[in-house]
Amino acid sequence: MSKLDFDWLTPRKAKRTPVSFGSPWAQGALLPEESVSLIDQTGNIEPIQTKVNAYWPDGSVKWLLHSGVLDTRKSYKINKGQGIKINSVITAFQTVDGAVTVDSELLSCTIQKGEVLISSLLRKHTNQKSVSAKLTAFIENREEQHGLENIMIEKLIGYTEKITLEEKGPIRSVVKIEGKHEYVNHKNQIFPFVVRLYFYADSDEIKMVHSFVYDADCENDFLKGLAVEFDLQASGEMWNRHVGFSGDTGMFYEAVQPMYMEKKTHPAYERQQVHGQFVEIDPVSEGSFLENVRDNASWGNFRLHQGSCDHYSIEKKTRSGCAFIPAAQGNRSRGAVFFGDESVILSTAVKDFWQKCPRALEITDATEDNPTMTVWLWSKYAESFDFRSYDTNKHEFSYGGINNHPEGIANTNEIFIKMFDEMPGKNEIIDFADDVQTDSLLIADLSAYEDTKVFGTYWCEPKEEQYKNPAHEKAFIGFLEFYMREVEQRKWYGFWDYGDVMHTYDPVRHCWRYDVGGFAWQNTELCNTYVNWLAFLRTGDYNIYRFARAMSRHTSEVDIYHLGKYAMLGSRHNVRHWGCDSKEPRISMAGHHRFYYYLTGDDRIGDIMDFVKDADFAWKNLLIDKDGGTARTGPDWSSFVSNWMTRWERFRDVKYLDKIMSGLNSIKQAPNRLSSGSKFDYDSHTGYMHYIGEGNYQYHMVICFGGPEVWFELADLLEDEEFKDMLAQFGDYYAMTPEERKENSNGLFNESNDIAWGGVRFAIRMLAFAGYWYQNPSRMQQSIDMLNDKPAFNSNTPGKIDKEGNVVYTDVENQEYIRKIQEVEFVNTNGISQWSLNYIETVKLYELSGFNNIYSRE
């Protein structure tokens, strides 16, 4: 494959936009030293900046990341061959004290260590003054005495300790800023942060990716506020100082000092208010009008508070010591704030603004020389967030126990900064807000991801009609659409929750078991992350992409420990995302996030995937206190392999390939290889898996946390035929009767442990692999038949569908729930996730097997 076709994932309002996107390459198709060029639909070569993001085992390129500022009305091709000479450039350099300066044709920015995140940000070729920025946070401490609650709120300021210039042009420059928030009394530092700033040549936009880690005392330290503050310089008349917030459809847009007159509307008022432009008032010819305007109140403080996913309020006040008055109410703000006057014209916008409520946007001191624009990622005007457990008692039958430990979880948000060269008018600000809420991304023709095999072989839709099952395909997409509907129907939004779905449905209460132990939030349990991304790669549907992207962002941050005693591990499903007693590598494994990383080049995801590469050490240390440090082939070893495979392909780090091979080769020596037992003694230094004899069998646990997906792809990468045979043997054992298993295992599998194979519904794709590998039609028939099993409660089948594959919705009587809803009988997330993966991979294996007429025997 020497060329790839690309188109925009979704329409954009801006005619040209900064974009970074990944391109997939088949093994051997492109060498690292070879160049590529980007050609638009008219044949013009566009300048792009390119780097290698992953390699094949032979050292050829697997993934490239391209960056440019491109025309959103055009489609593109990437060809092998020399690109165009880049004329418009961005430069960046770092001084010995660590400070970084980024300079482009349009912007200049300086970042230094200390209490200011951005020391200076300037829009060039204008008379505007520079902007600076800092990070702030607020902690609320509560103390109860004599039945009364005493509350103390303390402020923290972000302190930059390390600056890394990760990319320095010629089209994109990336600056990574690391530090901690420090109490204003300097008593302590908490809340480590990582902020990346992305600059593009020929663009007046800057993308900020803000990540912070909660590392305080959850019993006492509640999150009261988290913000980025932009310090501005202002000048000129109050009526020429403009403030705006994006609303549901349009804008709240006002001058600090309105130009209202009692008996008539002056033309200048329309230019100012409707068109968003500066105006002049002639003191001689328009003296009475000037007197009237200057008599109007000047409003120095404005704020929009998105308190919930369905409501925001806008308020304003004149000055300190005066009251806020209500200005407007709305539902879902698109998350942009604007300030423009003679010294600065600036807008910032937050991605997923209302979805990750409570948020707020604020302009303060607009009547002074130094106003502040504040982006509240957690609104100071909301109730502080309480990290404590939902209960202090453990509940034996609620699945999972309680170990409420939020210390080490994180949250990442994206802020976009746009510096205008002149007053833009409301429509341009609205367009900017709309673009921030969508995704700037070029996606290859979907066949490229399949043909290049960059995510393996067995997930693609069959090409030949005889191997397709339209009803199953409709059900697969229908169940995914069900969850996207549930996000809205159940309001699964919020700073810590957005991107997750729930585990188990309660048909009696007509709600999910949000309050029952391990049956509430799903986290990454049973790999619904894989389902989302594979569905996107098969359909290209933007709504599925948004759903998958939100889940990747949530599960890689909130469900993983980024520091502390559980660092590199994740927390299993629970009422609180971090509340489960089990802290495991299967939750944090890199495989959940590779799709998003390679499609977008998201550096934060890249950091997290690399961070967990040594999760086996964390797991071993944790287990030493429990059972001596054994590891299950899955989901423990399979998760380690996912991390190592990602490290190896991204950095060609053979140390992690060696650990893969050590474990794989040692498992091959066990009596029944991968099927010999789920637990092995594990050496985290060498990766060696030592067979410990007949023991504890949990085969459904081996299969349902990404094991097949990791192993199928790895076996192809290694071109390891014995590994594939091990997988087929494993699937074959699942399909056997107890008597057949006992005979084929020389008695290893017998009446004492045969219950371990009871999780066969999780293993449908393993049966299909056995049928494919051994060319056994009866095994393939078993797997196809199991996809058709009728749903039932607690059977790990998906929800109810009709004969055509349509998901069957039932109306719930209005008085049975708080509002009108629809539900699906037998629905459960584990069942849907595993059925979906089983369906995706089974039908492809069916096609690869070459068998005929299996569907006709249903």
Side-chain angles (χ1 to χ4, degrees):
M1 180 178 289
S2 60
K3 68 176 182 178
L4 297 165
D5 295 320
F6 286 83
D7 211 340
W8 294 96
L9 173 62
T10 189
R12 310 283 293 162
K13 296 292 184 67
K15 292 180 180 178
R16 293 183 68 84
T17 191
V19 60
S20 295
F21 62 99
S23 66
W25 295 85
Q27 185 164 215
L30 182 72
L31 299 178
E33 61 270 17
E34 293 184 294
S35 299
V36 298
S37 60
L38 182 73
I39 303 173
D40 69 22
Q41 63 195 40
T42 63
N44 293 320
I45 300 178
E46 288 276 1
I48 52 169
Q49 180 175 316
T50 297
K51 68 174 183 177
V52 180
N53 262 4
Y55 302 86
W56 288 101
D58 66 357
S60 62
V61 171
K62 189 173 187 179
W63 283 96
L64 292 177
L65 180 70
H66 312 280
S67 298
V69 180
L70 302 178
D71 193 322
T72 61
R73 298 159 295 181
K74 295 180 178 179
S75 57
Y76 295 90
K77 294 181 185 293
I78 289 184
N79 291 354
K80 289 178 64 173
Q82 191 63 43
I84 192 173
K85 181 180 178 181
I86 300 172
N87 294 318
S88 180
V89 299
I90 188 168
T91 60
F93 64 89
Q94 189 164 20
T95 57
V96 292
D97 63 355
V100 168
T101 297
V102 180
D103 198 64
S104 73
E105 178 65 21
L106 300 179
L107 301 176
S108 180
C109 183
T110 301
I111 301 107
Q112 297 173 308
K113 294 179 182 179
E115 293 186 354
V116 180
L117 181 75
I118 299 174
S119 301
S120 174
L121 176 59
L122 181 66
R123 181 62 157 87
K124 297 166 71 173
H125 312 301
T126 69
N127 294 321
Q128 296 179 40
K129 298 179 181 178
S130 64
V131 173
S132 61
K134 62 177 178 287
L135 303 181
T136 59
F138 289 87
I139 284 287
E140 180 179 299
N141 303 117
R142 298 181 190 175
E143 216 174 74
E144 190 170 317
Q145 292 181 348
H146 311 298
L148 297 175
E149 197 169 52
N150 296 318
I151 295 176
M152 180 177 68
I153 298 175
E154 295 190 78
K155 184 177 181 179
L156 301 91
I157 301 294
Y159 191 92
T160 297
E161 299 172 340
K162 181 181 179 182
I163 306 170
T164 306
L165 182 55
E166 293 185 321
E167 292 184 36
K168 51 182 179 180
I171 292 178
R172 185 176 88 157
S173 290
V174 183
V175 184
K176 181 180 181 182
I177 307 167
E178 300 171 82
K180 293 181 179 178
H181 292 76
E182 186 174 272
Y183 284 88
V184 291
N185 61 8
H186 306 294
K187 71 175 183 180
N188 196 9
Q189 284 187 326
I190 59 171
F191 293 178
F193 65 83
V194 176
V195 171
R196 278 188 172 89
L197 300 175
Y198 294 84
F199 303 85
Y200 291 78
D202 287 334
S203 176
D204 56 8
E205 289 182 26
I206 303 162
K207 178 181 175 181
M208 175 188 293
V209 179
H210 173 287
S211 307
F212 95 106
V213 180
Y214 178 83
D215 64 341
D217 177 3
C218 72
E219 297 297 322
N220 299 296
D221 297 326
F222 305 155
L223 180 64
K224 181 58 180 171
L226 184 71
V228 182
E229 294 183 10
F230 297 89
D231 293 325
L232 317 178
Q233 301 181 62
S235 61
E237 297 286 358
M238 298 301 151
W239 63 77
N240 278 334
R241 301 185 183 190
H242 296 222
V243 173
F245 299 111
S246 62
D248 299 85
T249 58
M251 286 199 72
F252 171 90
Y253 192 94
E254 291 189 355
V256 168
Q257 190 172 47
M259 302 187 81
Y260 170 76
M261 292 184 70
E262 183 178 357
K263 294 183 179 180
K264 63 178 181 178
T265 299
H266 195 281
Y269 188 17
E270 185 172 336
R271 292 199 305 275
Q272 177 218 52
Q273 179 63 34
V274 177
H275 302 292
Q277 300 301 310
F278 298 147
V279 297
E280 295 184 6
I281 304 175
D282 187 336
V284 177
S285 62
E286 300 180 300
S288 60
F289 177 52
L290 178 61
E291 183 180 13
N292 192 124
V293 171
R294 285 185 170 161
D295 184 59
N296 289 337
S298 292
W299 300 87
N301 303 277
F302 298 76
R303 71 182 180 210
L304 181 152
H305 173 57
Q306 183 83 48
S308 76
C309 63
D310 286 327
H311 180 260
Y312 64 85
S313 61
I314 299 175
E315 299 175 305
K316 66 180 186 178
K317 74 175 183 177
T318 53
R319 58 179 59 84
S320 177
C322 297
F324 273 98
I325 65 166
Q329 307 278 330
N331 298 122
R332 292 173 169 177
S333 167
R334 283 167 297 164
V337 55
F338 172 81
F339 183 82
D341 78 341
E342 295 176 6
S343 292
V344 63
I345 307 173
L346 175 72
S347 183
T348 61
V350 187
K351 198 176 194 70
D352 296 332
F353 181 76
W354 60 264
Q355 292 93 331
K356 294 188 71 173
C357 57
R359 306 274 211 193
L361 303 168
E362 190 170 24
I363 299 290
T364 54
D365 297 327
T367 58
E368 308 298 325
D369 293 337
N370 299 107
T372 301
M373 175 185 288
T374 304
V375 173
W376 290 100
L377 300 174
W378 179 275
S379 174
K380 182 177 72 170
Y381 305 106
E383 180 76 16
S384 61
F385 188 82
D386 186 342
F387 293 89
R388 292 176 296 183
S389 177
Y390 76 98
D391 201 352
T392 55
N393 297 320
K394 293 192 176 184
H395 302 279
E396 182 179 352
F397 299 106
S398 289
Y399 190 19
I402 299 175
N403 179 8
N404 190 76
H405 192 88
E407 292 88 343
I409 65 168
N411 206 299
T412 287
N413 298 275
E414 297 177 26
I415 302 170
F416 292 78
I417 307 161
K418 187 172 179 67
M419 306 195 74
F420 299 93
D421 60 346
E422 60 183 8
M423 290 296 283
K426 290 187 284 187
N427 287 340
E428 191 171 342
I429 304 169
I430 292 169
D431 287 349
F432 168 61
D434 285 344
D435 278 349
V436 168
Q437 298 312 325
T438 56
D439 291 272
S440 178
L441 189 64
L442 283 165
I443 290 292
D445 183 88
L446 297 183
S447 61
Y449 305 111
E450 177 180 352
D451 294 342
T452 56
K453 299 185 178 182
V454 287
F455 292 122
T457 304
Y458 309 115
W459 58 268
C460 315
E461 188 175 1
K463 297 182 183 302
E464 296 185 37
E465 289 299 321
Q466 65 172 314
Y467 297 108
K468 296 181 180 180
N469 186 318
H472 283 167
E473 183 70 17
K474 185 176 287 186
F476 161 52
I477 298 300
F479 285 127
L480 190 51
E481 290 173 345
F482 162 76
Y483 279 101
M484 292 189 284
R485 288 178 51 160
E486 280 294 272
V487 170
E488 176 62 17
Q489 180 167 256
R490 306 294 175 171
K491 308 299 181 184
W492 287 336
Y493 299 114
F495 189 76
W496 298 106
D497 297 337
Y498 180 59
D500 207 349
V501 298
M502 287 207 172
H503 187 284
T504 303
Y505 194 70
D506 184 342
V508 178
R509 288 191 289 174
H510 304 291
C511 66
W512 296 81
R513 296 181 188 174
Y514 68 94
D515 58 347
V516 183
F519 294 96
W521 290 113
Q522 183 79 1
N523 292 9
T524 60
E525 186 81 350
L526 271 62
C527 291
N528 45 346
T529 48
Y530 277 79
V531 175
N532 300 340
W533 284 113
L534 294 177
F536 170 70
L537 292 172
R538 289 162 63 108
T539 65
D541 185 280
Y542 178 53
N543 290 326
I544 295 176
Y545 175 87
R546 285 182 64 93
F547 183 69
R549 186 252 293 160
M551 187 171 288
S552 284
R553 188 63 87 192
H554 167 88
T555 56
S556 65
E557 299 287 354
V558 182
D559 299 341
I560 292 178
Y561 290 103
H562 302 259
L563 52 76
K565 66 178 180 179
Y566 297 128
M568 296 180 279
L569 304 177
S571 193
R572 197 175 61 168
H573 47 105
N574 195 258
V575 170
R576 310 234 67 178
H577 298 286
W578 46 84
C580 183
D581 190 45
S582 296
K583 314 298 184 183
E584 300 201 24
R586 76 192 199 209
I587 306 300
S588 62
M589 73 174 186
H592 296 298
H593 316 301
R594 289 168 70 238
F595 304 96
Y596 184 46
Y597 175 74
Y598 289 128
L599 291 172
T600 67
D602 186 280
D603 291 304
R604 173 63 178 174
I605 293 289
D607 283 353
I608 292 168
M609 292 195 307
D610 199 47
F611 174 67
V612 301
K613 65 183 179 295
D614 294 319
D616 55 321
F617 285 92
W619 179 239
K620 183 74 177 285
N621 293 337
L622 189 64
L623 282 185
I624 285 173
D625 297 332
K626 293 185 177 181
D627 60 5
T630 60
R632 297 163 293 182
T633 50
D636 307 329
W637 184 70
S638 59
S639 300
F640 305 154
V641 168
S642 176
N643 300 337
W644 301 335
M645 183 175 73
T646 305
R647 173 71 186 184
W648 172 42
E649 69 183 357
R650 288 184 65 199
F651 302 106
R652 291 188 283 188
D653 192 335
V654 295
K655 168 186 172 182
Y656 292 90
L657 172 61
D658 290 344
K659 292 187 79 169
I660 291 172
M661 298 308 300
S662 178
L664 184 57
N665 290 333
S666 54
I667 290 171
K668 288 177 180 178
Q669 304 308 310
N672 278 275
R673 301 184 297 183
L674 189 63
S675 309
S676 297
S678 55
K679 285 191 175 183
F680 286 69
D681 276 335
Y682 175 68
D683 185 333
S684 52
H685 294 280
T686 65
Y688 186 78
M689 298 279 282
H690 181 263
Y691 177 60
I692 58 177
E694 297 184 29
N696 212 331
Y697 295 88
Q698 295 178 322
Y699 281 124
H700 81 283
M701 296 290 286
V702 172
I703 292 301
C704 58
F705 298 97
E709 289 67 44
V710 174
W711 293 333
F712 289 164
E713 185 175 353
L714 179 63
D716 281 350
L717 279 176
L718 297 176
E719 299 179 336
D720 188 328
E721 301 300 288
E722 185 181 357
F723 188 10
K724 294 177 184 179
D725 193 68
M726 286 167 54
L727 296 172
Q729 180 191 36
F730 197 8
D732 222 27
Y733 273 124
Y734 262 113
M736 293 176 186
T737 65
E739 294 74 23
E740 290 172 333
R741 269 195 294 273
K742 186 173 183 179
E743 180 181 350
N744 279 271
S745 67
N746 295 318
L748 177 64
F749 306 128
N750 51 55
E751 295 80 4
S752 69
N753 55 39
D754 201 65
I755 193 174
W757 299 95
V760 64
R761 285 211 53 81
F762 291 121
I764 295 173
R765 56 203 186 276
M766 298 299 294
L767 273 66
F769 191 81
Y772 154 71
W773 186 255
Y774 294 137
Q775 284 292 286
N776 184 338
S778 65
R779 288 289 183 256
M780 190 63 69
Q781 179 72 58
Q782 283 178 274
S783 62
I784 294 293
D785 288 346
M786 289 177 70
L787 288 175
N788 288 308
D789 282 358
K790 292 182 179 180
F793 289 117
N794 300 319
S795 67
N796 288 309
T797 52
K800 189 175 181 179
I801 58 175
D802 64 20
K803 290 182 179 180
E804 286 73 39
N806 299 298
V807 177
V808 178
Y809 288 88
T810 302
D811 292 329
V812 174
E813 292 186 19
N814 289 353
Q815 66 268 28
E816 292 297 314
Y817 191 64
I818 61 171
R819 58 179 170 269
K820 185 176 181 179
I821 61 167
Q822 291 183 313
E823 63 186 12
V824 176
E825 193 174 6
F826 307 119
V827 70
N828 73 93
T829 305
N830 280 358
I832 287 176
S833 296
Q834 285 298 293
W835 182 90
S836 297
L837 290 173
N838 282 321
Y839 159 68
I840 290 170
E841 293 165 81
T842 294
V843 295
K844 187 61 179 179
L845 287 161
Y846 174 29
E847 180 183 48
L848 292 172
S849 72
F851 301 142
N852 292 311
N853 301 321
I854 285 183
Y855 282 139
S856 67
R857 289 185 283 164
E858 292 177 3

